[in-house]
Structure formats: structure tokens, C-alpha cells
Amino acid sequence: MQDRRDIMFQDQKSREDLELDQFNKHNSFVPEERPLTKAQIRGWLAYAVAAEPYSVVCISALAPLVLESLASNYGYETSDHSLKCDMNNPNYSCVVHLGGLWLDTASFSLYCVSVSVFLQAFVFISMGALADHGTRRKTFMLMFSLIGSVATALFAAITSPRFYWLAGILVIISNVAFGASWVFYYAFIPTLARDHPDVIEVRQNVGRGLETWADYQFVKDRVSNTLSSHSMAIGYGAGVFLLVVAAGVALAMNQTTYSMQLGMAISGVWWFCVMFYTWKNLLPQPGLPLKNNTNLFLYSWRRLGKTLHQASMLKETFKYLIAWFILSDGSSTIITLAMFMGKKNFLFGNTLLMVGAIVVPVAALIGTYIWLFIQRTFHLTSKQVLIIISCLYVLVPVYVLIGFSGKIGLVHEWEVWMVLPYFGLMLGSSQSYSRVLYASLIPRGKESEFFSLYGITDKSSSWLGPLITGAIISNHDTRWGFIFPLVMMFIPIFIISWVKVEKGINDAERFGEEHTDDRDGL
């Protein structure tokens, strides 16, 4: 019996030694502790208030409608290219001539988004790793904010449908800039969490032997989720406010296409003004300086090449990236398809469409705090919450496809007001928990580099959905397009379940230690 107790004691001692070794290894790479102040946290959160309305107002709600309306007003009937498009026909089908091709006007906005996300991928990779050095992360975030906000404000300058192509260009520029700035915004999450006073306190207690490595990981995950959830919620709150303003403008101007353009322009001006609060209060969270002879144009590509060459060391991280690529594309496609169904199948006017667009972020705001409460009440991990939300997500395209029966499934107008809030309750939380889970799986000092990959799977993944669904709905009922998000939202559930988070955290720590620029010859 005594021998067994001795063995149990030795096993416990071994686990404690292993945890302490993990902590010492982790702590040796933590820079001088500078606890976050409330002003710095507000500065970071303020950027969500500035930029998220662009996503809510423009990309999710108004941009698809504006591009489709401008193109249709300038377009021709699909069946007869000599006849101008008749938008009073409940199921009108029109095309526009662009670059020698006849494009379906409903697909025009989808193709514009596809082009923008291809360009996003190039920008993300070109600047991601570069932003991890010096104070470039904050500089790049604000630089792209300036570009995106100005491009969005310029929608007020388009006064004729014949400039529908210019509207497409502005959407491409603003969406690329928004996506890039959001990548650098996300990259602040792991560094802010490490510098949070609560996390610093636990880290110090681990060093004194008062708490364990598991306690440290738990507190850091909780702080990360709190920061991310607050960011998501107030971002959606700002988006709802701007959507209400845009709806008021549309109502005052008899729901014209130009009234929606003004709504977009207002969100651009808002973005431009509010970002200065972030510029003033958010500290850069600087990284190591680059070598003097570094080629700034090629560095990020070379750094990423080295990372991908050693991707086998980060299997859990890349498994998760694949899952989020698929899930993100499916969810973003649902929003766009729902807006087209409201416009073409139920003949919603611009005001009703904006009301629908308001319902989703309001539900997302509420859902963010509901899921945060559920996580804390039942002590769930970020991975567990994300799997539950993904399972609930799948029910949306399933319900819409049931509509082919002609009885229920977005067949009746009242169903729209039931499905939209249901979808919204999952939308914000899935994005929040996703970025927190991913933040725990990336190497220290390479936050922007790895969030550039996340940006490709998140914002830039949306090229696939618009491209495929645009082709599907060109000559068919919009409802057929929901087959794609059904498949894209079902597969990730199994992949996320397969991700081993604890192993991923340890692999990321080891990767950060072994793959510095000096060791990789950069």
C-alpha cells in the first residue's frame, strides 16, 4: 500500500513538474510585463465600433442590393438583350454587358466580392508577417482603415446607373481594405490577453507555485473570450445604429437606390472618424525589429514559405484553419442569398430589406452574451461552444431547402422574421469563439502572420460561395443556392471535433521557439 502511495505521489509530482516546465518555457518568451490600462482596452474595442458597421451595413446588407439595382437599371432582359430590364416583374431576370460578357445582374455583386477576396489573399500574405515587427501592426491597421473608409464614402458620388462598374470597383477596394485592417485587429487579441492584469496575476502565481499551468490557460481563455465577445457585441451595436440611420435615409428618400448609397457613404464617414480614437489610445504592442537589410516586399512571402514548409509541426492549427475556411464561407453565403430571396421572392422594398438586415446584428449582439453566459455556466471550452453553434447553423439551409415542398421553408413572408433572428443568434458568437480558439493555436511573435492566414480562411474564403452560388442561381430559383452552404456548414463539425487544442497550444509554443528569423535564415 505504501509503495502504491509513493508511486501516486511521484506521478503527481511528475505532472506538477511538467506543468512548471511548460510555464517556465512559456514565460521565458514573455516580454517585460506592461499591464493593459482601461484606455488601451477601450482603444482596441473602439476599432470594432468604427469598422464593423462597414461589414454590417455595406457587405452584408446594402452593397449587394446597390450593385444589383444599379446593374439592373442599366441592364437588359435576359431573354431579349434589346429590351431594358423590367424591375417591376416579380421574378425579373436581367443581364448587363461588361467586358464583352453578359452577366446576370443578381450575380454581379457576387462576382465583385469574389474579385475582392482574391485580392485580399494577396494583400494579407504580402503584409502579414511584416506587421509582426516594430509598430507596423497598428500602422497597417490604420492605413487600410483610411483607404477603406474613403472608398466607402465615395459611394455618395455615384449618381447614375451607368457607373455601376465604378460601384463595383469601390466595393472591391473597400472590402480589401476592411479585410486587411481586420486581420491586424484580430492579431492584437493574443498580445492583449497576455498583458491583461488578470492573466499577469495568474502567471505570477504559477511562478510562485500558487496556481497551475491549467489555471493560467483557463484564465487566459476566459479573458480572450471576454475581450472578443465585447468587441463583437459593440461592433454589431454600432452596425445596428448605422443601419437604422441608413433605413431612415432610405425612408426619407422614397427607398431609392441612391438612398442606399448614402447609407453606405455614412458608414464610411463613421469609420473614418471613429478610428482616430483607436489611433490615440491603442498602444502598438511592438514586436522585434527587422534586420536592416530585409527586403520589405518579399519578407512576408519568405516568412510564410518557411512556416508552410514546417506546417507538419502545427497540424492542429492547420486542421482548424481548414474547418473555419469551410464554415465561414457557408455562413457568409447564407446572408447574401437571404437578401436576394427577400428582394426577388417576397418583393421586399429597400426599407424592409434593411429592417431584415437590422434584425440579424441585433440578434448577433444578444447571442454573443447569451453564449458567453452559457459557456461560463457550464464551463465549456471555446471548441465545445463552437461545435454546438455549428450544429445549430446547419439547420438554416436545411429549413430553406424544405421550401421546395411549397409548405414551409421560407415559403411565407412570416418565416423570414423567424429565420433571421435564429441565424443571428449564432453569427456573432461563432466569429468570436473562432478567433479566440485560433489565437490559442498560433506561435508567439507571429500573430499577424498567422492571422493573415485566418483572414484568408475568414474574409477571403467568401470567394468560393459567391462564385458557385452565382453560377447556380443564374438561371434557377435562388433557393437552389442553399445546397452549397448546407454542405459547407456540415463538414466543419467533424473537422473541429478532430482538433486537439492542448496539443496545438504546445506545438505552437515549440514552433515559436524553434523558428525565429535567425534560425530560419531570414
Side-chain angles (χ1 to χ4, degrees), residues 25-26 28-30 132-133 194 288 299 303 306-307 310 313-314 317 440-447 449-450 503-520:
K25 186 181 292 184
H26 172 92
S28 65
F29 284 84
V30 177
D132 286 322
H133 298 274
R194 285 195 293 266
L288 295 173
Y299 173 77
R303 176 71 269 173
K306 294 287 186 179
T307 296
Q310 300 294 332
M313 292 182 63
L314 297 168
T317 304
S440 69
L441 298 172
I442 62 178
R444 182 182 306 279
K446 295 178 171 58
E447 291 84 5
E449 176 190 351
F450 274 79
K503 182 179 184 300
I505 292 172
N506 293 332
D507 289 345
E509 290 291 341
R510 183 164 60 91
F511 188 92
E513 297 166 19
E514 297 181 6
H515 289 281
T516 62
D517 285 358
D518 287 336
R519 292 188 178 186
D520 288 340

Side-chain angles (χ1 to χ4, degrees), residues 304-316:
L304 181 61
K306 294 287 186 179
T307 296
L308 295 179
H309 181 67
Q310 300 294 332
S312 59
M313 292 182 63
L314 297 168
K315 291 180 181 178
E316 308 309 314

Side-chain angles (χ1 to χ4, degrees), residues 44-113:
W44 182 75
L45 292 174
Y47 189 72
V49 175
E52 185 63 29
Y54 170 82
S55 176
V56 174
V57 176
C58 299
I59 294 301
S60 298
L62 299 185
L65 302 177
V66 167
L67 293 181
E68 192 275 337
S69 295
L70 288 173
S72 294
N73 276 313
Y74 193 69
Y76 299 87
E77 293 288 332
T78 301
S79 58
D80 188 346
H81 295 173
S82 65
L83 298 177
K84 294 292 292 183
C85 178
D86 181 11
M87 298 178 65
N88 293 318
N89 186 339
N91 291 304
Y92 68 88
S93 177
C94 301
V95 292
V96 67
H97 195 251
L98 181 66
L101 299 174
W102 289 97
L103 300 179
D104 182 83
T105 54
S107 301
F108 173 62
S109 66
L110 299 176
Y111 294 138
C112 287
V113 171

